[in-house]
Amino acid sequence: MSWTEVIIEIAREHAEGLSDALMEAGALSVSVEDADEGTDQEKPLFGEPGMEPAEAAWDRSRVVALTDVDADQAAIIAEAAAAIGLASVPGFTTRAVADADWVRLTQSQFEPIHIGTNIWVVPSWHEAPDPDGLILELDPGLAFGTGSHPTTRLCMEWLEAHPAPGKSVLDYGCGSGILAMVAKKLGALDVTGVDIDPQAIESARANAERNGCDITFYVPDELAVSADERHRGGKFDIVVANILSSPLKLMAPMLSGRVAAGGSLVLSGVLARQAEEVAAAYAPFIKLGVWAEQDGWVALHGTLGQDTVPAARSSTNA
């Protein structure tokens, strides 16, 4: 079986509406891309569960609709344009999409990832390159965190460099649960993951079970009333949060308050140019410094009750 893709360039204010209308008119799937991708005008859109951009579109958006090969593409576009009140039918181009073994093709794009000294993130369809390493079986999915992004790698490398046998760890914004699993496999006794996205929690629980890790995952409200939370007084020996700089700054009092006396706070999702302003937000509670930098991203670290800023580690691209 084969299909035809229809490509339409359109202004930001019409991109989402046209996407929805194309689906109603018979498109099989629709995506919105930056029409300036690959040029100096390309603009990244960042978002997280619960903090998505107001519009999932760009100033010049490219709407790509997949249709059956024998569909009337012109009629589908005309119907969609009329449905959202466009004065005229937008121009479009088409391209053929040949049939393929999409599962095998997708899997071929993901290879085992080596992180730090001894950590391997291995898709389920691969053999572990080093059976004696710290192996995480993790398939790419809906929740953020497979170890491919520098911020995830930095947090994993920090956990590997600071194993905490018998200690408690909180992974706030856990996504796939990858950081919580690394902490558990490195010997942490009590590991908790928190995420605002219930779908991420579901994914993290499945990943932890697959990897034989006993980890408790909550959405924030569930954590606040849990028996484990009351038992430890809400404090953890290590708190790690790999999110983005803006929410990290807003959560400074809360995340700092989760760290036990003498415990460590590790933050990432922070660009190097944002490090000072994030550290400043935490300064009233805990002194943070850059632990390491990778590809323009940093991991910040501090110890509660320690007045000096920790020294930075050498930059790594491992």
Side-chain angles (χ1 to χ4, degrees), residues 118 120 122 127-135:
N118 203 36
W120 285 93
V122 183
E127 292 292 329
D130 179 6
D132 296 325
L134 190 160
I135 308 300

Side-chain angles (χ1 to χ4, degrees), residues 233-235 252-260 285:
K235 308 287 186 179
M254 183 274 291
L255 287 176
S256 300
R258 293 289 183 185
V259 184
F285 315 103

Side-chain angles (χ1 to χ4, degrees), residues 3-6 18-20 22-24 26-32 63-68 76 97:
W3 299 268
T4 298
E5 279 188 336
V6 179
L18 183 63
S19 298
D20 293 340
L22 285 167
M23 290 295 294
E24 292 292 330
L28 302 175
S29 68
V30 181
S31 63
V32 182
V63 177
V64 182
L66 185 70
T67 68
D68 286 325
I76 289 174
V97 180

Side-chain angles (χ1 to χ4, degrees), residues 62-111:
R62 180 187 299 121
V63 177
V64 182
L66 185 70
T67 68
D68 286 325
V69 68
D70 56 355
D72 186 340
Q73 286 82 27
I76 289 174
I77 295 169
E79 180 180 337
I84 64 171
L86 292 182
S88 60
V89 178
F92 65 94
T93 58
T94 62
R95 61 188 175 207
V97 180
D99 195 8
D101 185 342
W102 296 107
V103 172
R104 187 176 298 276
L105 182 62
T106 300
Q107 290 181 347
S108 70
Q109 300 175 28
F110 298 97
E111 297 291 332

